[in-house]
Amino acid sequence: MASLIKKAIISNPYTVRKTLGIFCNATRNHWNFQYKPGPYPKNAAEREAAAAKYGLSIEEYQPYPESMGYGDYPKLPEIGEDSRDPHYPYDNPELKRNFNEPIHARMEIFGGDRYDPSMKRRFSLLHQWTWFLGVVGGSAALFFYLENFKFGRPVTMKQYPTNGPHYSWGGK
Amino acid sequence: MGQIMGSYGARNVGLYMDDAPTFDPQAGFDYERQPRVMKAREADLISAKIPPKHRDYCAHYLLEYQSCRYKNMPLLYKCAHEKHHYLTCEKDDYVMRMKEFERERRLRLREKRITGVAF
């Protein structure tokens, strides 16, 4: 084994260093240069090549606008993990993901513990805002209206020797 | 209920909680009202570090109670009588304030009735 490694280092040092670099960088930084997408596809042949690279058919392949700097990375539908079919036998059931399935460019936010843009809401946003502003605004309005109608206990000010003479009750 | 209605009914004469009485304290009595006496000395209160909000007409009971606590720590049940005296005095003080409030309310109503001036 040691002699094999020595032979590899002597005969092809560049490949060994590159492979080592990929492993080190991937574990340290969770990134390596192979994750980098290719350049933005300009013509039909490049598009076809990019679609094949990401395992997509040419019809469903659609790159991001060039100005966004994602290169040839495909623009995938924004479906959060929660919106995926829970009963499908996925290869990775914990992520609801199949082997070699292309990953969305903003995959970090679409996890099951995070945001789901394609979520089906139980109540519409208008419904939610109406109730929220109705309750909070109504309570605030009531609070400010009732500022002028405060109750208190039927007592005069606290009697201290410092704030004037006070007189006791009951004669002799 | 009573404590709410007590101040609620005073609203129509513009009287609220913690207001100062405005009438002559001796008016309408068939006896001379005695001024309340502060029994504790200011120097003692300062020495005992009694906060200003507790330096009322019951402060001498509070001084007794606190010195008892100091002497008997940690057997604080021995200060039950001192505590009771202090709290009774505070209760009486509160009742006096309630009486002042009711007197003020009735005198204002009387003034309104006699002069016919609306508040």
Side-chain angles (χ1 to χ4, degrees):
Chain A
M1 186 66 196
S3 64
L4 259 181
I5 293 171
K6 202 183 284 176
K7 200 172 181 181
I9 291 171
I10 290 166
S11 68
N12 203 346
Y14 178 67
T15 308
V16 172
R17 209 182 302 139
K18 213 166 104 176
T19 313
L20 203 69
I22 289 171
F23 278 115
C24 289
N25 213 3
T27 44
R28 277 183 201 149
N29 307 328
H30 308 283
W31 194 86
N32 71 62
F33 71 91
Q34 288 181 332
Y35 292 171
K36 191 178 170 184
Y40 185 78
K42 304 271 188 197
N43 52 41
E46 281 179 11
R47 280 179 77 96
E48 208 164 323
K53 179 180 161 192
Y54 292 110
L56 299 167
S57 67
I58 188 69
E59 290 83 22
E60 58 186 357
Y61 176 74
Q62 171 76 38
Y64 281 96
E66 193 173 4
S67 57
M68 288 182 75
Y70 283 126
D72 67 347
Y73 202 81
K75 187 177 188 177
L76 299 166
E78 296 193 344
I79 298 173
E81 199 183 308
D82 277 348
S83 293
R84 286 170 164 249
D85 181 7
H87 304 295
Y88 181 86
Y90 293 102
D91 293 332
N92 289 351
E94 70 277 9
L95 297 173
K96 291 186 189 165
R97 193 171 165 265
N98 284 317
F99 182 67
N100 261 349
E101 192 181 342
I103 292 176
H104 196 281
R106 291 169 63 218
M107 174 266 278
E108 293 94 340
I109 199 70
F110 296 150
D113 55 343
R114 293 176 191 186
Y115 181 53
D116 182 6
S118 50
M119 172 174 65
K120 185 173 171 288
R121 294 179 193 282
R122 186 178 171 194
F123 300 108
S124 71
L125 273 181
L126 179 70
H127 182 120
Q128 294 183 27
W129 276 109
T130 309
W131 271 101
F132 173 72
L133 293 177
V135 171
V136 173
S139 309
L142 211 62
F143 174 79
F144 287 115
Y145 174 68
L146 293 175
E147 280 284 286
N148 297 327
F149 301 96
K150 283 202 169 173
F151 279 109
R153 283 166 277 124
V155 287
T156 51
M157 61 197 288
K158 175 84 176 158
Q159 296 181 353
Y160 290 107
T162 46
N163 61 9
H166 301 286
Y167 294 89
S168 55
W169 295 82
K172 286 169 193 156
Chain B
M1 193 67 191
Q3 66 272 32
I4 293 289
M5 294 314 288
S7 63
Y8 183 76
R11 254 186 218 165
N12 49 20
V13 288
L15 185 61
Y16 294 93
M17 179 181 168
D18 289 342
D19 280 357
T22 51
F23 290 93
D24 174 21
Q26 300 290 354
F29 287 92
D30 55 359
Y31 57 86
E32 182 81 5
R33 287 178 81 193
Q34 298 301 314
R36 300 187 70 186
V37 188
M38 180 64 177
K39 290 177 184 163
R41 288 188 302 147
E42 185 72 15
D44 292 348
L45 293 174
I46 292 169
S47 167
K49 292 183 184 172
I50 303 290
K53 69 171 182 175
H54 291 144
R55 293 180 192 174
D56 53 6
Y57 290 101
C58 298
H60 55 292
Y61 286 115
L62 182 61
L63 270 180
E64 266 175 41
Y65 176 45
Q66 292 292 358
S67 49
C68 171
R69 280 172 66 94
Y70 183 80
K71 280 175 206 152
N72 291 306
M73 188 67 85
L75 307 175
L76 296 182
Y77 68 92
K78 292 189 174 179
C79 301
H81 292 300
E82 282 81 355
K83 183 178 182 181
H84 181 70
H85 290 153
Y86 174 61
L87 292 180
T88 307
C89 175
E90 284 290 349
K91 185 268 290 174
D92 290 340
D93 185 75
Y94 197 84
V95 170
M96 277 185 213
R97 288 166 64 197
M98 289 170 73
K99 285 181 179 174
E100 289 284 359
F101 187 93
E102 183 61 17
R103 176 169 182 268
E104 180 73 20
R105 187 181 74 83
R106 291 187 191 188
L107 282 176
R108 286 193 190 188
L109 280 176
R110 177 175 176 273
E111 197 176 49
K112 198 171 160 181
R113 197 172 60 240
I114 291 169
T115 60
V117 175
F119 274 89

